[in-house]
């Protein structure tokens, strides 16, 4: 386990008096070193696992090595030069891992692309990166590339994971591997490994295009050591075991899953099972029975909402047992988080609550979950404490694509709910005069690809990366307040951090999504998307027979119900922070609709523009509101 965060008094260009430092960093290294070291340590029948024709299939370490080597040799046979870029457009599946390790061991930098992106948004990524080859997963993804291929002059080869090769692809991966097999002689294999291990820590490993809430995506240049250092800094926190099993369902094109669910778990010898799809996650959890889970808060929010809805929907006796168990668990969590042993009576009551309620929740997650990680966006403290209270270790961390990604994370035996934990090894953090979090260390990116101006804006002369997040350090724990650019400043000059408010509101079983609006306005308002499952059950119970969602949102009873539910989560807010009015929206914000980034972050500018009429209507009467 890594040591505690240290704080030292210093003075530099940050304007901050204190620089906080995590434990000492690991020695520089490479991802190819990580790959071969893991293969040397582990020789299991199930390095990777996927579902085919209704049954789970294992891929051993030995088989994975062979596939990677032959794919890598085939890439070399194409004549690709060290440092060339290769795209990967795919959902999570074993071939994604094969393609990534094949690129790394061939000395190439890969460019992961979110499979949810429309074809038109891929043009910039593939052309800006200069990708000369591309792996694609399915006919659907291949069709996107076929449509835009005339606009991709540098692209020489498209390799399909599925057979037969769909329109727009040049060859299937199985045929491509067969080409590599033709030159896979012992001498060539030995030379390949030697060449792969000749990679240098500062060599470019990957270009990850940030989804961005404004403007064109920028290519984040991450070196081998950027990722290698973060893997080993995080290994001592997560402490994976070689009998651990993880379910991978967050996009591997996202840095969080890439580092944790791909490199870190492979380095730890875990079995990585790939979910069939995001829709199949619930069923796959029961089948795979993972011991490790990594997710963005949205998944935990939905699970929490379902649990609360189910607990409140039972008979009077069941509801009483559910809420009694919640109260007991909350009291137990207070003791646990304060590192106090619960009293004998509390321990006995908690054991009863576990049997009656929380064992069923654990069963939904497969029954073996040892640790769950949350990252990518802020997690509501209510949800974090609930999972801890249920007896599930849920650790929240913080980072960005530009920091490979982990800056800080709560430790398994030292969770402080409401924070994103202690700094990981090698990382420094300073809080600038305006509250912005600055960070420095081996995991900070090399810069934005072909964009020196943006690089200079992000990384100052002293090497500090400006995260754009507002926060503070308290007793070695980092706390995030909000995104700097998301802070709402009302016309009356009041500053409001919207994310904590939104994160609290969506813990309500009747709320699916919530977005605060109000910058330069006289008071804040909120756009709310109901959780339709919960709301429709309520309307049926109330005898409201309409199934027209648009009409329901105009029903005075529904409006009053949603207003009560949203405001029930706002206790403790200052008057100026509380949204004065709500607007109920029928449809969820989506990636396809442009309101969310591929990593599910809200694009506030897009929402402001798309729902301008709705928002303006909230301000159109004579109500002055509170500033």
């Amino acid at each position: 386990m890594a040591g505690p965060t240290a704080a030292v008094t210093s003075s530099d260009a940050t304007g901050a008096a204190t620089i906080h430092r995590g434990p000492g960093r690991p020695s520089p290294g490479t991802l190819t070193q990580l790959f071969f070291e893991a293969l040397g340590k582990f020789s299991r029948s199930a390095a990777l696992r996927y579902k085919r024709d209704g049954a789970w299939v294992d891929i051993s370490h030995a088989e994975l090595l062979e596939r990677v080597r032959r794919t890598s040799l085939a890439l070399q046979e194409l004549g690709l030069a060290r440092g060339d870029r290769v795209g990967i457009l795919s959902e999570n599946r074993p071939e994604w891992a094969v393609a990534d390790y094949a690129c790394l061991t061939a000395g190439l930098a890969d460019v992961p692309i979110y499979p949810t992106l429309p074809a038109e948004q891929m043009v910039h990524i593939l052309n800006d990166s200069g990708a000369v080859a591309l792996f694609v997963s399915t006919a659907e993804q291949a069709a996107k590339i076929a449509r835009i291929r005339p606009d991709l002059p540098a692209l020489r080869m498209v390799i399909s994971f599925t057979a037969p090769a769909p329109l727009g692809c040049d060859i299937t991966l199985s045929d491509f591997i067969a080409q590599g097999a033709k030159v896979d002689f012992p001498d060539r294999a030995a030379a390949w490994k030697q060449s792969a291990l000749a990679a240098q820590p500062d060599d470019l490993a990957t270009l990850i295009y940030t989804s961005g809430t404004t403007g064109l995506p920028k290519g984040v240049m991450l070196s081998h050591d950027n990722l290698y250092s973060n893997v080993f800094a995080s290994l001592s926190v997560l402490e994976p075991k070689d009998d651990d099993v993880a379910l991978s369902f967050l996009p591997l094109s996202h840095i969080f899953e890439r580092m944790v669910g791909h490199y870190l778990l492979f380095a730890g010898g875990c079995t990585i099972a790939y979910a069939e799809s995001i829709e199949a996650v619930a069923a796959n959890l029961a089948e795979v029975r993972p011991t490790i889970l990594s997710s963005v808060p949205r998944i935990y929010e939905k699970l929490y909402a379902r649990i609360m809805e189910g607990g409140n929907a039972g008979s009077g006796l069941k509801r009483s047992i559910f809420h009694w168990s919640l109260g007991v668990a909350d009291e137990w969590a207070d003791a646990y988080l304060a590192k106090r042993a619960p009293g004998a009576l509390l321990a006995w009551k908690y054991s009863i609550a576990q049997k009656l309620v929380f064992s069923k929740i654990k069963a939904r997650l497969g029954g073996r979950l040892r640790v769950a990680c949350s990252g990518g966006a802020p997690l509501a403290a209510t949800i974090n404490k609930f999972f801890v209270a249920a007896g599930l270790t849920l650790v929240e961390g913080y980072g960005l694509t530009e920091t490979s990604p982990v800056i800080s994370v709560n430790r398994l035996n030292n969770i402080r709910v409401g924070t994103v934990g202690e700094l990981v090894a090698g990382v420094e953090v300073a809080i600038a005069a305006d509250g912005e979090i600055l960070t420095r260390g081996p995991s900070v990116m090399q810069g934005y690809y072909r964009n020196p101006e943006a690089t200079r804006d992000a990384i100052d002369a002293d090497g500090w990366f400006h995260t754009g997040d507002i926060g503070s350090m308290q007793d070695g724990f980092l706390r995030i307040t909000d995104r700097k650019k998301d802070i709402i400043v009302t016309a009356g000059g009041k500053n409001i951090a919207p994310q904590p408010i939104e994160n609290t509101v969506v813990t309500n079983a009747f709320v699916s999504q919530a977005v605060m609006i109000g910058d330069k306005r006289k008071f804040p308002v909120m756009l709310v998307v109901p959780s339709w499952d919960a709301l429709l059950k309520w309307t049926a119970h109330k005898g409201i027979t309409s199934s027209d969602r648009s009409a329901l949102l105009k029903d005075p009873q529904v409006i009053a119900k949603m207003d009560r539910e949203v405001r029930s989560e706002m206790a403790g807010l200052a008057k100026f922070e509380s949204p004065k009015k709500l607007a109920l929206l029928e449809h969820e914000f989506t990636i396809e609709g442009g309101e969310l980034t591929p990593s599910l972050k809200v694009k506030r500018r897009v929402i402001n523009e798309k729902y301008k009429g709705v928002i303006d209507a909230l301000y159109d009467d004579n109500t002055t509101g509170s500033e």
Side-chain angles (χ1 to χ4, degrees):
M1 179 65 67
T5 299
V8 296
T9 300
S10 181
S11 180
D12 64 10
T14 66
T18 303
I19 297 173
H20 304 267
R21 294 196 173 106
R25 65 149 295 167
S27 300
T30 67
L31 294 172
T32 50
Q33 175 187 338
L34 178 153
F35 177 67
F36 287 110
E37 284 179 353
L39 290 169
K41 271 194 234 176
F42 310 107
S43 182
R44 302 179 58 197
S45 60
L48 309 179
R49 182 173 289 164
Y50 68 104
K51 203 169 186 183
R52 183 179 67 197
D53 299 328
W56 288 93
V57 179
D58 291 341
I59 297 174
S60 69
H61 283 92
E63 185 181 354
L64 176 63
L65 172 59
E66 182 181 272
R67 291 192 195 183
V68 167
R69 183 177 66 245
R70 291 178 174 179
T71 305
S72 184
L73 290 172
L75 287 168
Q76 291 176 349
E77 289 297 297
L78 277 180
L80 303 189
R82 206 170 185 92
D84 278 348
R85 276 77 58 209
V86 174
I88 305 176
L89 171 59
S90 173
E91 303 78 12
N92 293 19
R93 53 194 291 170
E95 293 89 347
W96 203 105
V98 169
D100 177 54
Y101 286 125
C103 288
L104 293 172
T105 53
L108 308 169
D110 55 31
V111 184
I113 302 172
Y114 283 96
T116 50
L117 284 180
E120 294 69 26
Q121 292 183 29
M122 297 178 189
V123 174
H124 167 72
I125 294 172
L126 290 166
N127 281 336
D128 188 69
S129 65
V132 294
L134 175 67
F135 292 95
V136 300
S137 57
T138 63
E140 179 186 355
Q141 301 299 344
K144 295 179 186 178
I145 299 304
R147 190 159 73 248
I148 62 175
R149 194 159 183 182
D151 301 320
L152 306 172
L155 190 61
R156 291 157 45 188
M157 173 73 73
V158 179
I159 304 152
S160 168
F161 289 163
T162 54
L167 181 68
C169 296
D170 301 300
I171 190 172
T172 65
L173 180 60
S174 57
D175 287 342
F176 196 63
I177 289 174
Q179 289 185 358
K182 291 177 182 177
V183 295
D184 189 17
F185 301 112
D187 288 351
R188 180 73 184 272
W192 165 78
K193 181 177 180 180
Q194 184 178 10
S195 173
L197 287 171
Q200 296 300 301
D202 287 339
D203 287 351
L204 181 66
T206 189
L207 278 177
I208 300 179
Y209 279 78
T210 55
S211 43
T213 54
T214 59
L216 288 171
K218 299 188 290 288
V220 176
M221 297 190 292
L222 297 181
S223 70
H224 277 260
D225 189 49
N226 285 152
L227 284 157
Y228 178 92
S229 65
N230 210 243
V231 168
F232 278 89
S234 303
L235 270 171
S236 63
V237 175
L238 190 58
E239 300 176 348
K241 301 172 175 58
D242 61 8
D243 59 351
D244 273 324
V245 177
L247 183 68
S248 174
F249 58 88
L250 290 183
L252 281 163
S253 40
H254 189 283
I255 185 61
F256 179 39
E257 184 68 13
R258 175 91 171 266
M259 194 284 286
V260 176
H262 179 53
Y263 295 131
L264 187 153
L265 295 183
F266 187 75
C270 308
T271 295
I272 301 170
Y274 298 100
E276 296 172 272
S277 66
I278 196 70
E279 295 75 21
V281 165
N284 292 163
L285 282 168
E287 296 164 343
V288 171
R289 303 182 64 231
T291 57
I292 293 179
L293 197 64
S294 56
S295 177
V296 290
R298 187 74 180 132
I299 301 297
Y300 300 119
E301 289 166 1
K302 287 191 171 185
L303 180 59
Y304 174 83
R306 286 195 204 102
I307 292 166
M308 298 305 289
E309 182 186 352
N312 288 315
S315 65
L317 177 60
K318 286 185 176 178
R319 279 200 305 275
S320 296
I321 291 171
F322 178 72
H323 286 284
W324 176 83
S325 297
L326 289 182
V328 168
D330 192 65
E331 190 179 348
W332 180 89
D334 286 337
Y336 174 81
L337 293 168
K339 298 192 167 103
R340 297 193 314 265
L345 178 60
L346 176 58
W348 176 78
K349 289 195 292 185
Y350 184 66
S351 69
I352 300 299
Q354 279 289 337
K355 289 176 186 174
L356 294 176
V357 172
F358 299 114
S359 61
K360 297 177 179 65
I361 294 171
K362 292 176 179 177
R364 289 190 193 185
L365 299 171
R368 297 194 303 170
L369 194 62
R370 183 174 66 81
V371 58
C373 309
S374 180
L379 176 70
T382 303
I383 294 177
N384 196 347
K385 187 179 180 185
F386 170 81
F387 280 97
V388 172
L392 294 164
T393 302
L394 175 56
V395 293
E396 184 179 11
Y398 164 69
L400 303 92
T401 303
E402 290 88 343
T403 59
S404 304
V406 181
I407 292 172
S408 65
V409 63
N410 278 278
R411 286 9 182 203
L412 302 185
N413 62 353
N414 197 21
I415 297 171
R416 189 170 295 186
V417 169
T419 78
V420 290
E422 300 169 278
L423 305 185
V424 298
V427 168
E428 295 179 306
V429 158
I431 308 299
D434 64 356
E436 183 177 10
I437 299 166
L438 313 180
T439 189
R440 186 168 63 180
S443 58
V444 171
M445 67 171 179
Q446 295 179 321
Y448 294 113
Y449 188 61
R450 303 201 310 173
N451 199 335
E453 183 179 351
T455 301
R456 285 193 297 272
D457 288 343
I459 304 175
D460 65 29
D462 292 311
W464 290 101
F465 172 70
H466 292 239
T467 66
D469 289 308
I470 302 295
S472 62
M473 290 290 298
Q474 300 170 11
D475 301 324
F477 285 78
L478 183 59
R479 187 182 297 273
I480 310 296
T481 306
D482 215 306
R483 286 292 293 169
K484 188 174 179 179
K485 63 186 176 184
D486 286 347
I487 295 293
I488 292 171
V489 183
T490 66
K494 299 289 188 180
N495 283 24
I496 302 170
Q499 279 190 0
I501 300 170
E502 294 162 349
N503 293 340
T504 300
V505 167
V506 297
T507 63
N508 189 283
F510 285 85
V511 179
S512 176
Q513 293 172 315
V515 174
M516 289 265 289
I517 303 292
D519 196 45
K520 300 180 178 63
R521 302 271 196 168
K522 54 189 176 182
F523 53 80
V525 297
M526 180 174 277
L527 305 182
V528 175
V529 181
S531 175
W532 282 104
D533 286 347
L535 186 57
L536 289 173
K537 287 176 185 174
W538 180 84
T539 56
H541 177 70
K542 288 293 182 179
I544 302 172
T545 57
S546 174
S547 60
D548 182 333
R549 293 185 177 188
S550 178
L552 283 173
L553 294 185
K554 297 180 180 68
D555 186 297
Q557 291 184 77
V558 171
I559 293 170
K561 171 66 174 175
M562 289 303 301
D563 191 78
R564 287 195 302 273
E565 293 296 333
V566 170
R567 297 196 184 284
S568 71
E569 306 298 341
M570 295 183 183
L573 289 182
K575 188 177 180 183
F576 72 85
E577 291 179 302
S578 299
K580 185 162 185 66
K581 296 184 179 182
L582 309 180
L584 302 179
L585 303 180
E586 180 180 353
H587 301 291
E588 287 207 342
F589 305 125
T590 64
I591 298 166
E592 294 75 16
E595 304 100 339
L596 302 180
T597 71
S599 56
L600 303 182
K601 292 184 177 68
V602 168
K603 293 184 176 181
R604 293 181 191 274
R605 179 182 59 79
V606 171
I607 288 173
N608 265 296
E609 292 171 359
K610 192 166 185 175
Y611 296 95
K612 185 176 186 301
V614 174
I615 295 166
D616 286 347
L618 294 173
Y619 292 97
D620 272 350
D621 64 14
N622 295 321
T623 304
T624 58
S626 170
E627 297 180 1

